[in-house]
Amino acid sequence: GSAQWFLAEGAGSLVRALAAPIASSIVTGAAVTRIAQDADGVRVEAAAGTYRAASLIVTTPPQLYDALGLMAQLPLHRQQALARFRVGSVVKTILVFETPWWRNLGLSGAILAPGAPCNAAVDASTPGAQRGVLVLFSTGPSGRMLGQTRSEAGRIARLLDWLATLTGV
């Protein structure tokens, strides 16, 4: 399943490795408000200023394309497809514990529980690290149900209660 593609070191390690050769040209903390392409390349407007580049990789969800001015730059068939696009219900929760306590119970940290508040979980603890990290995914009806709990603290409490019921801890 998809767990085979999960990075034990976290996605941040991949981002850092890819960014290392161009680190001096990366701008962070500058929310993008508009992207435009012209004969000279790409212009990115942000609260912190305007930036130019020969090319650009956009990693924002398609739902934000229109707000950034990207939709009009796409071919018509892509605009039409994205106009019909509906986002699924997914809530991803990362829980960090002092230790990977589930291992002391002989558990792997991998959970598949269709219909539960969390449909799947993966042990994302870095090998050899003291802290335990569980990444929980609530999708479809479970994601919509968990999403009704508006506060982050409320969602975490609900998932911790569920984990306690599941594991007896």
Side-chain angles (χ1 to χ4, degrees), residues 73-163:
Q73 298 177 56
L74 296 175
L76 183 59
H77 69 281
R78 292 200 191 267
Q79 289 180 35
Q80 291 170 339
L82 287 171
R84 291 186 203 92
F85 181 77
R86 296 296 169 254
V87 180
S89 296
V90 178
V91 177
K92 177 181 175 182
T93 307
I94 301 172
L95 300 176
V96 180
F97 301 93
E98 288 185 26
T99 64
W101 54 266
W102 51 93
R103 293 179 186 164
N104 295 336
L105 298 173
L107 301 173
S108 67
I111 301 170
L112 291 175
C118 161
N119 304 99
V122 181
D123 180 348
S125 308
T126 304
Q130 292 277 103
R131 295 198 186 278
V133 179
L134 283 178
V135 179
L136 291 75
F137 300 93
S138 303
T139 62
S142 296
R144 285 189 293 279
M145 182 179 64
L146 190 60
Q148 291 174 359
T149 304
R150 292 288 180 205
S151 76
E152 180 181 7
R155 288 189 300 275
I156 290 170
R158 189 169 184 184
L159 290 171
L160 287 172
D161 287 346
W162 173 75
L163 278 173

Side-chain angles (χ1 to χ4, degrees), residues 14-105:
L14 177 62
V15 171
R16 285 187 294 279
L18 291 171
I22 59 168
S24 63
S25 17
I26 295 176
V27 177
T28 61
V32 174
T33 56
R34 195 101 179 125
I35 299 172
Q37 187 171 2
D38 57 34
D40 296 326
V42 182
R43 185 181 74 250
V44 178
E45 297 173 15
T50 299
Y51 304 91
R52 294 212 48 97
S55 58
L56 176 71
I57 298 172
V58 178
T59 60
T60 189
Q63 307 88 288
L64 300 177
Y65 284 9
D66 201 35
L68 296 174
L70 292 173
M71 193 68 86
Q73 298 177 56
L74 296 175
L76 183 59
H77 69 281
R78 292 200 191 267
Q79 289 180 35
Q80 291 170 339
L82 287 171
R84 291 186 203 92
F85 181 77
R86 296 296 169 254
V87 180
S89 296
V90 178
V91 177
K92 177 181 175 182
T93 307
I94 301 172
L95 300 176
V96 180
F97 301 93
E98 288 185 26
T99 64
W101 54 266
W102 51 93
R103 293 179 186 164
N104 295 336
L105 298 173

